[in-house]
Amino acid sequence: DAGVIQSPRHEVTEMGQEVTLRCKPISGHDYLFWYRQTMMRGLELLIYFNNNVPIDDSGMPEDRFSAKMPNASFSTLKIQPSEPRDSAVYFCASRLSGGSYEQYFGPGTRLTVT
Amino acid sequence: GQQVMQIPQYQHVQEGEDFTTYCNSSTTLSNIQWYKQRPGGHPVFLIQLVKSGEVKKQKRLTFQFGEAKKNSSLHITATQTTDVGTYFCAVKPPYGGSQGNLIFGKGTKLSVKP
């Protein structure tokens, strides 16, 4: 199994630009999570989906952030416009319903906004 | 909302010394998971504890779930440089909240001096 795949692995952009992060969950997993990790705030849940439907987006910082899951094998997290305070590592994770709630994390995207 | 407190935030040990991190909740937990994140890496699932007073071992790692299911600990015997990383506990949200996700503690960052 390839595991959770994220792209790009690194992104450097200028303030005001649009940023799109991509995630492919593990095949067959029906939950998908987007997290943001910074030194100051730790690991924060931004949004999660179940069967492609957003269930809880209360962690999305503001309207500049949006996430979609058009099908079971792909999700995007978009930031428009980006700001320097958005600099962080963004993780995507997936899991299978039922069972232990164990989450499988992707390698993350390190975003730097200058 | 549900929170889990992890202590200590940082721990520096000499190689060969023992290490313990604690996770505490004000409410009774249904279960608790532990994850490890290596520097520059992503969180990786280690174990799940479900039963009151449960103790599980993985080589030099010992995981405990408190009798009241409000706290848990991870103990590493005779640390090695390969143990370096951040250890997170994670719990399911309380009933009435969004049920599909996990709530992560802030983590304990372990450094090991050779």
Side-chain angles (χ1 to χ4, degrees):
Chain A
D1 197 333
V4 176
I5 299 172
Q6 289 187 248
S7 65
R9 294 293 306 277
H10 302 273
E11 178 80 35
V12 180
T13 191
E14 292 184 348
M15 182 174 62
Q17 297 298 307
E18 177 179 297
V19 175
T20 300
L21 311 182
R22 297 173 175 79
C23 175
K24 176 179 169 56
I26 292 173
S27 177
H29 282 192
D30 51 353
Y31 279 88
L32 184 140
F33 306 84
W34 282 102
Y35 291 90
R36 177 173 69 177
Q37 186 175 45
T38 61
M39 288 293 293
M40 291 297 295
R41 302 175 69 90
L43 193 62
E44 301 175 276
L45 177 67
L46 300 177
I47 186 171
Y48 77 93
F49 296 82
N50 179 219
N51 291 321
N52 314 335
V53 176
I55 300 302
D56 186 350
D57 65 353
S58 59
M60 296 286 262
E62 48 199 273
D63 291 347
R64 297 185 298 106
F65 285 68
S66 62
K68 293 182 179 180
M69 192 165 186
N71 57 62
S73 58
F74 184 66
S75 177
T76 60
L77 178 68
K78 186 174 293 186
I79 308 173
Q80 166 64 19
S82 58
E83 296 182 3
R85 60 191 168 124
D86 301 330
S87 297
V89 179
Y90 291 81
F91 289 106
C92 176
S94 70
R95 75 168 178 89
L96 196 56
S97 59
S100 71
Y101 272 55
E102 174 185 348
Q103 293 187 12
Y104 295 80
F105 283 75
T109 295
R110 181 172 295 277
L111 173 65
T112 303
V113 183
T114 61
Chain B
Q2 175 77 53
Q3 285 193 4
V4 284
M5 302 299 295
Q6 255 190 280
I7 54 172
Q9 188 175 0
Y10 300 96
Q11 185 78 57
H12 309 282
V13 300
Q14 190 78 34
E15 188 172 22
E17 291 181 341
D18 292 357
F19 158 77
T20 305
T21 174
Y22 301 90
C23 190
N24 300 305
S25 169
S26 58
T27 60
T28 302
L29 303 169
S30 57
N31 60 38
I32 191 164
Q33 298 185 3
W34 286 92
Y35 289 75
K36 177 184 178 181
Q37 183 178 18
R38 295 181 185 273
H42 57 277
V44 175
F45 174 82
L46 293 176
I47 207 160
Q48 174 171 278
L49 304 173
V50 178
K51 299 177 183 177
S52 168
E54 188 170 15
V55 178
K56 288 188 177 180
K57 292 190 175 185
Q58 290 179 350
K59 297 182 180 178
R60 294 177 295 103
L61 277 61
T62 302
F63 304 84
Q64 289 190 316
F65 204 6
E67 293 289 342
K69 300 182 72 173
K70 290 186 176 182
N71 55 69
S72 180
S73 65
L74 159 57
H75 179 82
I76 302 178
T77 303
T79 55
Q80 300 176 358
T81 54
T82 53
D83 297 324
V84 164
T86 301
Y87 294 84
F88 295 94
C89 62
V91 302
K92 289 168 64 173
Y95 289 114
S98 172
Q99 286 297 301
N101 57 310
L102 291 172
I103 297 172
F104 282 81
K106 295 291 187 187
T108 296
K109 188 173 183 178
L110 172 65
S111 62
V112 179
K113 187 175 181 181

